[in-house]
Amino acid sequence: MPRLRWIFLAVGSLLIFLIISTVLFFELERIATLMYISVERNEQLAEKQSKVNEYREQIEFYSTDEGIAYLGREQYNFIFPGERIFVISNDRE
């Protein structure tokens, strides 16, 4: 029959092994979650960076004379001197 000291040593070793494996399992799960969040945030960052680049291009365009003319024509219905406007109406009613 094994001595009591060897039984305590075996039970203690098994207990330490189980504690370490449980902690390792939870840490690996947390690492996987953090990696998923990191990938998701990098995608959001890339999307926002593309929007910033798009807005910079718009700022550069609207700071030119062509951009100002385009904005005036599209949003405020301005015309250049000497241009004519033709209004097409639908009289089916």
Side-chain angles (χ1 to χ4, degrees), residues 1-83:
M1 181 159 179
R3 293 188 175 178
L4 192 58
R5 144 178 34 166
W6 292 110
I7 292 174
F8 283 141
L9 182 64
V11 168
S13 299
L14 181 64
L15 183 64
I16 290 173
F17 173 74
L18 290 175
I19 290 171
I20 289 174
S21 62
T22 303
V23 169
L24 181 65
F25 172 76
F26 285 122
E27 288 299 318
L28 290 176
E29 186 177 339
R30 187 186 307 174
I31 289 171
T33 303
L34 290 175
M35 287 180 67
Y36 174 75
I37 291 171
S38 173
V39 167
E40 188 177 276
R41 298 289 163 89
N42 283 336
E43 289 174 357
Q44 289 176 354
L45 181 64
E47 179 182 326
K48 293 200 184 278
Q49 187 66 36
S50 68
K51 283 186 179 181
V52 166
N53 290 337
E54 181 182 326
Y55 292 147
R56 283 185 181 162
E57 289 175 4
Q58 287 180 359
I59 288 170
E60 289 176 10
F61 174 69
Y62 287 126
S63 64
T64 62
D65 290 337
E66 294 88 16
I68 293 171
Y70 177 78
L71 183 65
R73 286 173 174 265
E74 289 295 317
Q75 293 196 1
Y76 301 110
N77 296 324
F78 289 163
I79 59 170
F80 284 120
E83 282 186 338

